[in-house]
Amino acid sequence: QISYSHAIHAAGFFTAFFVSLVLTCAVFFIVYRTQILKWSFHSKNQEIQHELSQNHKLEHSQFNSGDLFSEDIIMNDQIIDILSFEESGNMLQALEDLEVASLTRADADLEAYRMQICKDVIGMMMKNMVLSHSLFPHVEKRMSSIFKKQLLAVEKEIQEEYERKMVALTAECNLETRKNMEAQCQKARAANEEAEELMKKINEKPAVEYRSLLDRLHRLEQDHLKRFLLVKQEEYFAKAYRQLAVTQRKEVHNIFFTQITNATFKGELKLEAAKTLVEDYSKIQGDIEELMDFLQASKKYHLNRRFAYREYLISKIQLRDSHASALINAAATQISSLINKTERAGHLPESHLGVLLDRAEAEINSVKQKFNYDLKQEKQKLRQKLITKRRREMLQKKEHRKEQLSLGDPFRTTNEVTHYLSHRKNLLSDHTIEFEELTEKLDNEASEELKELLFSLTEKAVEELKRVQYGVFVQELVKLSVPKIFLLEAVEEHKKEMVVKHEQLEREERDRSTTAEELLQLTRQKLSQELETSLLEQKKLRSWEQSVFMQLLSSPLSLSEEELLRMRQELHCCFSQMDSSLSWPKIRARTLLQAFEVERRNTELLKVDQNVAMTNKQQHSKMKKPGSRNRNKVDILKKSLQDKIFIYEDLVKDENLNKVRANFDVLRSK
């Protein structure tokens, strides 16, 4: 048996750690994606030092649905930053990070729903005992009062434990990060010192090239180390989250059974009434687990559907970015093409060729720089507009949801638990569907607005390049006595080329868009099938659970009433664990992939170092002059740096991804 004070303390401790865990995960995601947590390496006397910025403040958060919803809105804003400002090649990685944060967030929401439902159901059961004359009103009032006092005590414990655990976990992660980054810096410093000594003995140009490659390699090493640490910390938090979530569920059962035992012992609750109450509790707990299975599977389906659609939007944005660059480059190439064509036709003295090409390059760079600057500025303005609109519509949805809850709160209008659970299921399901429909609509609108912005600025840039070609260089060539008829023919040819280029890109965009839409539809069909399968599998598991439960209760064991009660309690504690968190499979898969990638990369890097050592040894015995040896050593080291850079930039191939997934499936089965 658990005393009140111990139960309160334990519930407070575990709930507080759970809150700190979820919020810390959210903080790490936001820190990583928005670069609030900055990794800065300053050069001083050719030494690289690092400073981990810890200026971000950890905000207090109340554990209630209103704040949960607000935080979900803020997290949802991240998609605008990804679509607007993330580099094209990094978009999918950024989206995956957001997906993990959203799954972690969903786990927290579901756990909050579970706790609220359990508390409501226990309250309804106690009131029903009074209505059936199985419990005196003053006893029900006293037991309900105990629950309220426990909840107040838990809330106080949550705040205190939240403060302590948040600081402790953040400090622990920062310490591990700092140690790893310091080790990385020491390695970089040693490489820089060796490079400095070597560069003193060789010409400037090879030295600059070597130093540039070395800096690039160090940046890649730091980026991959940060990525590895982030994923490692994700797994740590996910494990702790799951353990504490399960323990918290156990505490709910422990508190309920402790109160029933105490009330029976004091004679406030008759033995037969206690048996009825416990049997009803067991049945209702089965209904609650079935409801939570449905809510979890539904949430997983909707989140997977949301991110499949976002992947589709990213593919469209990447295609548009590629086409915008292709159009601008095509228009830019025509300027130098016109000059070269004129020179090859013999209409332009060779002495003017270099000057005109340099001027053309300067004009083209000026147009491209203005395009990039305008695009960045306009995206910033559009970002604020999109986020404002997004938050306004989501807050309207929140207010609408509040109205629904206040008008149709079954807890205030009925004592029928089945009706309450059914109402909760419908309400949460409808809210999830409405929220996802709104999210998809807002995501699509953001994508379309970004498309219009890019199209408009690309058109302006192309028109400006045409003006440079027709209004500047054609006129300049006319002044240099180039025949007008020749120039008119060249300009007309260029116009036709641009029309063909436009048509080619539009055709390519249509084809790729069709393929992407077909893939999206197939993905959605697959997700629907997975939803049905997962619900069926979980239903079979719950049926088996119920069968085991009934067999144990009906087994011919000589157990006292107290022992039977304890057995029921233990069974409920066990069965409450028979689900999986939403975030853990994704986080574990990322960890396995990172581990595989690190192992593969280290093996390849070791081969490069071994080859360098062997080549240096061979070359040293052949070359006698120090100058020749130094030049040759630099060439060897440059080649090794290029090889290492390629290893870091090389992506994990599909067959290796399949190996990782297979390994994870084996672990999950175990």
Side-chain angles (χ1 to χ4, degrees), residues 36 94 153 171 194 243 251 456 498 523 642 665:
I36 294 173
E194 182 183 355
Q243 290 168 357
E251 283 304 311
S456 172
M498 286 302 293
T523 302
Q642 290 168 347
D665 288 339

Side-chain angles (χ1 to χ4, degrees), residues 7-8 10-22 63 107-116 118-119 151 154-155 158 240-256 281 572-573 576-577:
I8 292 169
F13 176 84
F14 293 122
T15 310
F17 195 7
F18 161 66
V19 173
S20 68
L21 160 71
V22 175
F63 200 68
D107 282 328
D109 290 346
L110 288 168
E111 208 62 35
Y113 296 152
R114 174 189 286 271
M115 290 296 293
Q116 187 59 52
C118 286
K119 287 187 288 185
L151 289 173
V154 164
E155 286 178 354
I158 283 175
Y241 161 74
R242 178 60 183 175
Q243 290 168 357
L244 294 172
V246 168
T247 305
Q248 185 173 246
R249 296 175 192 180
K250 290 180 180 179
E251 283 304 311
V252 173
H253 297 308
N254 292 341
I255 289 170
F256 174 80
Y281 182 81
H572 284 304
C573 290
S576 65
Q577 305 174 46

